Amino acid sequence: MKRYSTAGQVQPGRAERERQTAASLGDGELRAYLARTGHSQAVIPGPASLQSLHLAHATHIPFENLDILLKRPILIDLPSLVDKLVANKRGGYCYEQNLLFAAVLQKLGFAFTPLAARVRYRAHTVLPRTHMLLLVHFGDGDWIADVGFGGEGLLLPVPLRSGIETRHYAWTYRVLDQAGQWLLQSRRNDDWTDLYAFTTEPQFPADYEMANHYMSTHPNSRFVQTLTVQLPHPEVRHVLRNLELIEDRGLSSSSRMLAGEEERLQVLASVFGLHFPEGTRFRGPHAAVHV
């Protein structure tokens, strides 16, 4: 059933939005994705299967912006995402990660709405709504699914219930209802850190295309300015920021500076499973320095 806005424009219903945002994934592509993420459990659309799929994706497909610093375009159509993140065992940032995850959820029979958020983590000014996340719907409530936020991001989905603390191994999260918008936070010791703010307004493919172009090309984008690769596990989160390698265990963290480009290529392969030819150089204002 089509819905109409007060301006008289035709608005697609939820099922049509899902088809537009997550194009059809083939059976072979789904099998390849499940192998890529190490997911072997039976899937029945519900919170338990959403949790197992989410954890498998988050801990196997790195968050990374390396193609931007190699001056390659970031393509977010489904065939390109499957080719890059699944067949070629690369990672990506939020649009790549969450659009692929959306296609998987659609194929497996989950109902969801694509959303957008304003990132607040490590931000000093108000940013545009350039982060993608998903709101997954079940009969007893909605859950935030987000496999594309990076180092402080979710390992598991969280329920959309204000003030409820959710423990993800060494990390704790909550969402707060703040006067018409939702705020996702993570806790460090006794301090809560804002990650991003969002509403439940549905987003469309055109919204992500525009935001993806800005984030991958604009000189003020943090992804143009800084090399970042991140891969979380239940016990430790590995983060590479330019030449700084960080191990975050929740209650403690350590870091060291890499010697240069060659060691960075070695770390990309050994820690993150990302392989590049010898001599590869990542270009950008700060790609080879510590900031």
Side-chain angles (χ1 to χ4, degrees), residues 57-69:
H57 185 122
T59 56
H60 284 81
I61 302 182
F63 179 96
E64 50 111 331
N65 69 329
L66 299 177
D67 275 355
I68 294 174
L69 299 177

Side-chain angles (χ1 to χ4, degrees), residues 230-245:
Q230 305 172 21
L231 186 63
H233 296 285
E235 299 82 13
V236 61
R237 295 171 181 263
H238 296 287
V239 178
L240 177 63
R241 187 172 296 120
N242 296 322
L243 288 174
E244 183 183 16
L245 180 62

Side-chain angles (χ1 to χ4, degrees), residues 178-218:
Q178 292 192 332
Q181 70 174 356
W182 294 92
L183 178 63
L184 177 66
Q185 297 180 316
S186 65
R187 190 175 70 190
R188 290 282 181 161
N189 299 317
D190 294 326
D191 297 324
W192 288 97
T193 298
D194 294 351
L195 299 184
Y196 53 74
F198 64 97
T199 69
T200 57
E201 177 186 355
Q203 300 296 295
F204 300 93
D207 298 316
Y208 297 133
E209 287 285 354
M210 181 176 66
N212 175 59
H213 177 71
Y214 172 86
M215 294 304 291
S216 63
T217 64
H218 196 282

